[in-house]
Amino acid sequence: VVKDNKLINAHYSMSVLEMRLILAMVVQVHKDDRDFKTYKVRVRDLMDAGGGMSENIYNRLDVITDQLIKRYMRVPLDEGGFAKIGFVSKVEYKKRKGMVELRFDPDLKPYLLQLKEQFTIYDIRNVLSLQSSHSVRIYELLKQFERIGERTIEVERLKEKLGLIGKYRSYYNIKKRVILQAQLEMQKKCDNSFQIEELKEV
């Protein structure tokens, strides 16, 4: 998976199945591609990646893809403010073939195509079995700073990036249900793990 760092730091929320679809598209983007293609994802591959995922996914895909085509991210702009960009412009679920065909929104080209600098790369196998989309996002946010070895982020900024504004109002809840869950999952399934140092503003 290769993503521009602005995409890594974008603000959005989606289910883990939606995220697996997006990641399955990203890995099909070649470094020399100048335009997006129609990307094909086998439902069986999604099930195998998820580890014991139910056959019920075939019946749920209509709802999952309906949600996905409505999703958008907020990408911070260098001059201040942000851009709202959709993830996909088209979805076709070919039920008899057990296949989903998708196209990225054209406005994502600067964040996924012809990347020369300030991008993050990782092996998709490290995240496909994660059961929480928040765990995937935290993995990406930390992977960006892997060479530095640490990343400091305010709780509210983390909530923005994970699409959790208005949820988990207490730090205790977001720590227990999001941060510690990601820590546990990454320790078991990923190439990287992390420790937490809590800093309080004086």
Side-chain angles (χ1 to χ4, degrees), residues 155-167:
V155 174
E156 288 304 308
R157 300 292 79 78
L158 178 63
K159 289 173 67 175
E160 286 179 353
K161 296 178 188 302
L162 302 184
L164 293 175
I165 295 299
K167 302 178 181 178

Side-chain angles (χ1 to χ4, degrees), residues 58-73:
Y58 287 94
N59 297 323
R60 294 168 55 200
L61 268 173
D62 184 40
V63 174
I64 293 168
T65 53
D66 187 52
Q67 292 172 339
L68 180 58
I69 204 165
K70 297 175 183 177
R71 298 287 191 191
Y72 68 90
M73 72 192 80

Side-chain angles (χ1 to χ4, degrees), residues 2-202:
V2 183
K3 294 183 179 182
D4 186 281
N5 285 342
K6 289 182 179 178
L7 190 56
I8 294 289
N9 288 286
H11 306 168
Y12 64 89
S13 176
M14 61 173 57
S15 72
V16 69
L17 282 174
E18 293 171 68
M19 188 163 288
R20 285 176 184 156
L21 277 170
I22 293 295
L23 290 173
M25 295 170 68
V26 174
V27 295
Q28 295 180 59
V29 177
H30 191 274
K31 64 179 181 178
D32 297 323
D33 288 346
R34 295 186 177 276
D35 202 354
F36 289 136
K37 303 172 183 177
T38 297
Y39 302 103
K40 299 179 180 181
V41 181
R42 294 175 61 238
V43 180
R44 175 56 59 181
D45 291 340
L46 288 177
M47 294 176 63
D48 292 343
M53 190 177 294
S54 169
E55 293 277 350
N56 189 44
I57 187 176
Y58 287 94
N59 297 323
R60 294 168 55 200
L61 268 173
D62 184 40
V63 174
I64 293 168
T65 53
D66 187 52
Q67 292 172 339
L68 180 58
I69 204 165
K70 297 175 183 177
R71 298 287 191 191
Y72 68 90
M73 72 192 80
R74 293 161 57 107
V75 181
L77 300 175
D78 293 336
E79 60 270 27
F82 54 84
K84 292 183 179 181
I85 305 173
F87 283 92
V88 297
S89 61
K90 182 180 180 180
V91 178
E92 289 186 8
Y93 173 34
K94 299 186 175 180
K95 192 170 184 179
R96 292 183 179 178
K97 293 184 177 181
M99 184 82 66
V100 183
E101 297 185 2
L102 313 98
R103 287 193 69 90
F104 279 120
D105 188 300
D107 285 336
L108 284 179
K109 288 180 183 181
Y111 307 106
L112 292 171
L113 297 178
Q114 300 284 308
L115 300 181
K116 303 298 182 183
E117 58 183 16
Q118 295 185 339
F119 59 85
T120 297
I121 182 170
Y122 64 86
D123 190 328
I124 190 175
R125 289 171 294 185
N126 283 301
V127 299
L128 281 181
S129 62
L130 297 178
Q131 298 302 308
S132 166
S133 60
H134 302 320
S135 297
V136 178
R137 293 287 287 123
I138 289 174
Y139 174 88
E140 291 183 336
L141 290 167
L142 294 177
K143 194 70 173 179
Q144 181 190 348
F145 279 63
E146 182 177 30
R147 292 185 180 180
I148 298 173
E150 63 179 28
R151 179 167 193 166
T152 302
I153 184 169
E154 296 177 359
V155 174
E156 288 304 308
R157 300 292 79 78
L158 178 63
K159 289 173 67 175
E160 286 179 353
K161 296 178 188 302
L162 302 184
L164 293 175
I165 295 299
K167 302 178 181 178
Y168 302 121
R169 295 188 177 182
S170 73
Y171 171 67
Y172 172 81
N173 284 334
I174 192 172
K175 178 183 177 181
K176 179 180 179 181
R177 300 180 184 179
V178 178
I179 299 173
L180 293 182
Q181 181 178 352
Q183 184 183 46
L184 181 61
E185 281 207 284
M186 285 177 59
Q187 285 175 345
K188 292 180 177 179
K189 303 174 181 178
C190 299
D191 59 334
N192 281 349
S193 59
F194 67 94
Q195 299 298 320
I196 304 167
E197 181 181 357
E198 296 165 325
L199 305 175
K200 293 184 178 181
E201 291 185 346
V202 179

